[in-house]
């Protein structure tokens, strides 16, 4: 019997042993009811569980879908990345290889295959550097020692440092190979063809060290070569340093144009190069300046022979675009170790020697002598004294009259600068004016001359002119016109009484600015004379560039009179030219009555020279001018 029913039966059994059916019935019914309740509860939790399971299932499904989508996306991304990586690797300008820790190749790009003409059969994953190098050795794209290469590569990678090598290929290409170590003991190799870059670098280096016009080494490279040569001197050898410039190159440039000038420099450069032996250096160190290092010399004569050879080569005539050109050169020579073992010292010595060569008359060579140093120092001292003289008032003007050849009467006086230094005494203008020009003192000094000459002349009879010499530097200076205007204004001198004398060298700087300055002076009413005519390079052409009022025929043509036939012809021609161009022709430096008669006969209209009067201090000149004073009433 079921235990529960037994208990219910027991409960419904009265003490009499009789079974109370009602009680039993109730008990059984309540037991059923209880059981029904349990059943319902169970059913409910089962259906809840099923619902939850369903939900879980749905969530899982969604999650799986999401994950799958994410994975697909990631896969697509990876694929794209791979494509990009492959494209990048294969389109690199460098060849790229990657090796694993066991030295087996993992990646090799197309550039590598193309660079060395290697096939995929050889450069397949898993191959080694040795495989590749041995193959390239056979096909001729590697000529080094394979074992040595691999050994040094391994050593670098083991140390964790980049292995870098420049490889010259048998076909002339240069490849820069870098092997970068990786953490796993492998390495990434890049090969870059740097042939073109090296060529460009070489070209740039050449350009930096060479002069583009002549193709010769420039000043910078010259200094390097000199430093190298001086190392040899320390070890006991001797070298010669020759410094040269072309005499009157500027005139060629100015009269025939810069193109012809450039052409001339090129040809000169070639001729100089041909004069040298291997190991010697010729450089262009300035406009028309060249410097030569002569190595392996034994005695000064060796350099003198070269200097002579150079002069002959430079002096040979040139045919430049149909123009026949002649040019000469002056050469300054210094030797190491005798004249110095420092570059600067030697260059200075050669420069001084060049200065000496020019002072000796152009077209020579000259060795440095210690006395030159002394002369240079004297020149420095002259510069200092000259600067002091202007403030100390040590300058004065003397006046030399010029006279009409018609009536032998004074028409004007030329102001000539005089300097009396307290220590040195009288110094001639030919000595100090070039120095004043070089140090720029000529501008203030020239202004002083202008002011003083105008002030003095304002006190002379009113038909007497005053001539003032201007140096090229003054003519080119922007203060010229104001200086002239101020000198005229403060003195009250009529502009027509002022004559400006310029030499042909002014016109050698035949810039628009020079000609413009002359025209502006002329517009003021000032007269312009061409001084020392005939001493320049291209005298007649200068006459065309400006309408002068007067030509002063240089003393050197007058001193040959009355006998020298060429002087006669020149003076006659120039005087004739002046007459035709409506200019006064003045003969300079007339010293004898015969010369005076002859210049008059040859057509000169004016003369100047010791015959009539030397340059005089202003007080003495005033006495000479006394007879020219007209009655006060007329001069006022
Ligand atoms: P220059 O302008 O041709 O002056 C004429 C020179 O010839 C003067 O020399 C004069 O003394 C000299 N002379 C004149 N007649 C005779 C003669 O019959 N025989 C000889 N042997 N010589 C004669 P100086 O005074 O020594 O001047 C030389 C040069 O210095 C001048 O040549 C001129 O170019 C320059 N100079 C003089 N004063 C000045 C100045 O104030 N400024 C500038 N820029 N240059 C000046
Ligand atoms: Mg003069
Ligand atoms: Mg003169």
């Amino acid at each position: 019997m079921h235990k529960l029913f037994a208990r219910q039966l027991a409960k419904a059994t009265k003490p009499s042993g009789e079974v109370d059916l009602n009680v039993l019935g109730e008990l059984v019914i309540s037991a059923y009811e209880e059981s029904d309740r349990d059943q319902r509860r169970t059913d409910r939790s089962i259906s809840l569980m099923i619902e939850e399971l369903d939900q879980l299932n749905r969530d899982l499904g969604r999650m799986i879908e999401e994950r799958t989508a994410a994975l697909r996306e990631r896969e697509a991304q990876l694929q794209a990345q791979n494509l990009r990586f492959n494209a990048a690797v294969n389109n690199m300008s460098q060849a790229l290889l990657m090796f694993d820790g066991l030295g087996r190749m993992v990646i090799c790009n197309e550039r590598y295959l193309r660079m060395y003409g290697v096939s995929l059969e050889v450069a397949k994953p898993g191959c080694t550097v040795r495989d590749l190098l041995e193959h390239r050795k056979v096909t001729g794209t590697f000529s080094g020692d394979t074992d040595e290469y691999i050994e040094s590569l391994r050593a670098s990678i083991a140390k964790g440092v980049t292995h870098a090598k420049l490889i010259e290929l048998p076909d002339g290409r240069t490849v820069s190979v870098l092997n970068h170590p990786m953490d796993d003991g492998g390495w990434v190799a890049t090969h870059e063809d740097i042939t073109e870059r090296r060529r460009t670098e070489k070209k740039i280096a050449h350009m930096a060290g060479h002069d583009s016009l002549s193709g010769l080494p420039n000043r910078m490279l010259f200094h390097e070569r000199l430093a190298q040569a001086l190392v040899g001197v320390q070890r006991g050898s001797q070298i010669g340093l020759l410094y040269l410039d072309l005499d009157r190159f500027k005139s060629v440039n100015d009269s025939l144009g810069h193109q012809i000038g450039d052409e001339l420099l090129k040809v000169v450069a070639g001729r100089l190069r041909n004069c040298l032996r291997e190991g010697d250096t010729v450089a262009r160190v300035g406009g028309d300046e060249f410097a030569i290092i002569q190595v392996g010399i034994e005695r000064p004569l060796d350099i003198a022979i070269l200097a002579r050879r150079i002069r002959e080569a430079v002096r040979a005539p040139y045919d430049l675009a149909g123009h026949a050109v002649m040019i000469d050169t002056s050469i300054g020579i210094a030797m190491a170790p005798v004249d110095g073992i420092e570059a600067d010292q030697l260059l200075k010595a050669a420069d001084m020697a060049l200065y000496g060569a020019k002072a000796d008359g152009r077209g020579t060579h000259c060795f440095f002598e210690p006395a030159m140093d002394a002369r240079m120092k004297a020149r420095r001292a002259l510069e200092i004294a000259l600067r002091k003289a202007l403030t100390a008032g040590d300058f004065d003007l003397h006046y030399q009259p010029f006279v009409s050849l018609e009536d032998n009467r004074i028409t004007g006086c030329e102001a000539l600068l005089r300097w009396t230094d307290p220590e040195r005494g009288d110094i001639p203008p030919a000595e100090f004016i070039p120095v004043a020009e070089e140090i720029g003192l000529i501008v203030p000094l020239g202004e002083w001359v202008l002011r003083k000459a105008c002030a003095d002349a304002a006190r002379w009879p009113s038909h007497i002119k005053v001539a003032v010499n201007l140096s090229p530097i003054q003519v080119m200076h922007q203060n010229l016109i104001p200086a002239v205007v101020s000198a005229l204004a403060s003195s009250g001198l009529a502009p027509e009484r002022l004559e400006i004398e310029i030499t042909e060298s002014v016109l050698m700087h035949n810039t628009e600015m020079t000609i413009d300055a002359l025209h502006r002076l002329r517009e003021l009413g000032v007269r312009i004379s061409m001084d020392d005519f005939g001493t320049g390079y291209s005298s007649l052409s200068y006459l065309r560039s400006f309408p002068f009022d007067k030509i002063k025929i240089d003393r050197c043509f007058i001193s040959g009179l009355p006998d020298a036939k060429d002087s006669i012809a020149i003076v006659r021609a120039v005087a004739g030219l002046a007459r035709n161009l409506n200019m006064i022709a003045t003969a300079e430096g007339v010293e004898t009555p015969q010369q005076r008669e002859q210049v008059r006969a040859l057509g000169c209209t004016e003369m100047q020279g010791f015959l009539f009067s030397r340059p005089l201090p202003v007080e003495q000149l005033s006495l000479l001018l006394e007879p020219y004073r007209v009655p006060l009433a007329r001069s006022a």
Side-chain angles (χ1 to χ4, degrees):
M1 191 191 313
H2 193 277
K3 275 183 196 160
L4 179 59
F5 186 67
R7 273 201 308 274
Q8 287 169 339
L9 201 58
K11 266 189 194 166
T13 306
K14 295 176 189 164
S16 59
E18 192 187 343
V19 174
D20 185 342
L21 283 173
N22 286 330
V23 173
L24 182 64
E26 275 168 20
L27 282 171
V28 170
I29 286 165
S30 78
Y32 276 122
E33 281 171 353
E34 179 74 10
S35 162
D36 280 351
R37 271 198 303 277
D38 280 354
Q39 184 61 46
R40 274 200 300 280
R41 263 203 305 275
T42 308
D43 285 352
R44 224 180 17 253
S45 24
I46 284 172
S47 72
L48 268 175
M49 253 169 70
I50 287 169
E51 244 174 64
E52 267 176 30
L53 270 173
D54 274 353
Q55 186 59 40
L56 211 72
N57 248 341
R58 278 198 300 278
D59 287 352
L60 261 175
R62 224 179 11 253
M63 224 166 82
I64 287 167
E65 259 171 40
E66 277 171 13
R67 287 273 164 90
T68 315
L71 277 175
R72 273 207 203 101
E73 197 179 321
R74 182 91 193 99
E75 196 183 326
Q77 275 174 359
L78 276 174
Q79 243 169 20
Q81 206 172 325
N82 249 343
L83 276 174
R84 280 202 297 271
F85 176 72
N86 277 340
V89 164
N90 286 324
N91 288 302
M92 280 170 67
S93 62
Q94 298 169 328
L96 180 113
L97 300 162
M98 198 166 121
F99 293 89
D100 65 14
L102 297 172
R104 289 172 313 206
M105 195 192 83
V106 188
I107 293 172
C108 163
N109 71 354
E110 281 168 21
R111 179 89 183 104
Y112 180 85
L113 305 178
R114 269 186 279 128
M115 189 178 270
Y116 300 114
V118 177
S119 73
L120 269 174
E121 304 271 286
V122 180
K124 57 177 182 277
C127 72
T128 61
V129 186
R130 182 176 296 282
D131 296 336
L132 293 172
L133 289 180
E134 277 171 358
H135 175 77
R136 282 178 44 198
K137 191 127 203 185
V138 175
T139 55
T141 59
F142 181 70
S143 57
D145 183 322
T146 313
D147 290 331
E148 208 175 275
Y149 184 88
I150 293 175
E151 207 171 296
S152 85
L153 167 65
R154 287 258 154 79
S156 295
I157 302 301
K159 272 191 262 166
V161 292
T162 299
H163 179 258
K165 272 245 169 339
L166 272 190
I167 312 263
E168 304 284 348
L169 301 193
D171 63 6
R173 281 182 292 165
T174 309
V175 179
S176 157
V177 181
L178 293 177
N179 291 287
H180 306 279
M182 293 192 301
D183 290 343
D184 66 352
W187 67 96
V188 173
T190 54
H191 296 228
E192 189 180 2
D193 186 338
I194 56 162
T195 319
E196 204 46 49
R197 198 206 304 163
R198 284 244 292 193
R199 219 172 273 152
T200 317
E201 277 168 5
K202 264 194 203 149
K203 213 160 135 195
I204 290 170
H206 186 271
M207 273 161 66
H210 289 79
D211 160 50
S212 59
L213 178 74
S214 64
L216 294 181
N218 60 15
R219 183 179 284 275
M220 192 190 80
L221 185 57
F222 175 76
H223 278 264
E224 273 174 32
R225 298 263 176 94
L226 182 58
Q228 279 164 12
L230 287 172
V231 174
V233 171
Q234 302 275 10
R235 296 199 197 107
S237 68
Q238 292 194 80
I239 62 163
L241 179 64
L242 296 86
Y243 221 89
L244 54 116
D245 72 9
L246 305 179
D247 295 336
R248 286 181 263 276
F249 170 70
K250 231 188 138 350
S251 331
V252 175
N253 228 356
D254 289 337
S255 56
L256 299 177
H258 286 258
Q259 240 171 353
I260 301 277
D262 283 356
E263 207 45 48
L264 176 63
L265 288 173
K266 275 194 231 169
V267 182
V268 168
R271 291 187 185 179
L272 291 177
R273 218 189 266 124
N274 287 340
C275 288
L276 303 187
R277 282 183 317 205
E278 211 176 309
D280 295 344
T281 297
V282 54
R284 180 168 173 229
V285 292
D288 65 338
E289 291 169 33
F290 298 88
I292 291 167
I293 305 165
Q294 189 186 9
V295 294
I297 53 159
E298 276 164 19
R299 48 213 168 130
L301 184 64
D302 296 335
I303 313 179
I305 291 169
L306 174 64
R308 235 170 270 140
R309 202 161 60 226
I310 288 172
R311 285 201 41 232
E312 271 161 30
V314 173
R315 270 205 323 224
Y318 299 79
D319 176 8
L320 304 169
H323 297 276
V325 174
M326 299 276 281
I327 199 140
D328 208 338
T329 177
S330 307
I331 308 175
I333 302 167
M335 276 176 77
V338 211
D339 301 326
I341 46 162
E342 303 277 331
D344 287 349
Q345 202 181 1
L346 271 178
L347 287 166
K348 208 173 118 200
D351 196 33
M352 275 190 247
L354 175 59
Y355 201 82
K358 287 192 177 166
D360 283 357
R362 288 152 192 272
T364 64
H365 67 262
C366 182
F367 279 86
F368 171 75
E369 291 159 21
M372 285 175 182
D373 206 7
R375 278 211 291 278
M376 221 56 180
K377 286 197 179 107
R379 198 190 128 91
R380 291 276 133 71
L382 187 72
E383 283 177 21
I384 295 165
L386 204 48
R387 284 187 208 279
K388 264 199 217 141
L390 190 59
T391 39
D394 291 339
F395 288 107
D396 196 9
L397 289 184
H398 282 190
Y399 293 94
Q400 187 181 33
F402 37 89
V403 295
S404 160
L405 278 166
E406 217 174 281
D407 53 13
N408 214 31
R409 282 173 66 84
I410 299 175
T411 52
C413 303
E414 178 177 4
L416 294 161
L417 193 53
R418 295 290 175 260
W419 176 25
T420 310
D421 180 68
E423 285 163 29
R424 297 173 177 81
D426 288 345
I427 302 165
E431 212 169 288
F432 70 80
I433 283 179
V435 181
E437 285 176 339
E438 259 176 59
I439 62 176
L441 196 78
I442 195 68
V443 173
L445 184 55
E447 284 176 15
W448 177 85
V449 172
L450 263 170
R451 266 199 311 279
K452 166 123 175 76
C454 289
D456 285 344
R459 286 191 284 271
W460 301 341
S462 63
H463 68 281
I464 303 286
K465 299 187 174 67
V466 65
V468 173
N469 294 284
L470 289 194
S471 96
I473 292 161
Q474 282 175 277
V475 180
M476 286 189 294
H477 199 269
Q478 81 262 17
N479 204 39
L480 174 67
I481 306 294
V484 172
V485 169
S486 138
L488 289 171
S490 59
S491 63
L493 188 77
E496 297 72 30
R497 289 180 62 197
L498 175 62
E499 284 187 0
I500 294 295
E501 292 192 6
I502 61 157
T503 55
E504 293 171 24
S505 58
V506 168
L507 294 168
M508 265 159 49
H509 311 273
N510 192 355
T511 57
E512 266 178 44
M513 209 178 132
T514 316
I515 299 291
D516 187 52
L518 295 181
H519 277 293
R520 287 205 284 156
L521 283 175
R522 174 63 85 50
E523 278 159 23
L524 291 176
V526 173
R527 302 162 68 83
I528 317 282
S529 308
M530 160 69 83
D531 201 0
D532 303 345
F533 185 74
T535 51
Y537 189 79
S538 181
S539 305
L540 287 177
S541 78
Y542 296 137
L543 277 188
R544 280 220 322 255
S545 56
F546 188 79
F548 290 93
D549 297 290
K550 184 188 273 189
I551 305 180
K552 298 183 79 175
I553 305 167
D554 193 70
R555 202 168 70 217
C556 66
F557 301 108
I558 311 302
S559 63
L561 301 182
D563 304 320
K565 289 212 169 54
D566 49 351
S567 294
I568 295 174
I570 288 169
V571 175
R572 183 186 286 123
V574 178
L577 194 78
R579 197 175 42 247
N580 287 333
L581 294 172
N582 221 5
M583 296 188 255
I584 294 171
T586 306
E588 288 193 286
V590 175
E591 292 183 348
T592 66
Q594 292 93 321
Q595 287 173 342
R596 180 186 55 204
E597 292 322 308
Q598 197 166 19
V599 295
R600 182 188 286 136
L602 291 171
C604 292
T605 43
E606 235 180 45
M607 65 150 235
Q608 185 179 3
F610 293 172
L611 175 67
F612 185 85
S613 169
R614 286 183 175 263
L616 302 171
V618 69
E619 305 77 30
Q620 284 184 39
L621 177 85
S622 296
L623 295 177
L624 200 65
L625 293 180
E626 225 21 75
Y628 290 80
R629 292 202 181 274
V630 283
L632 270 178
R634 274 182 64 199
S635 71

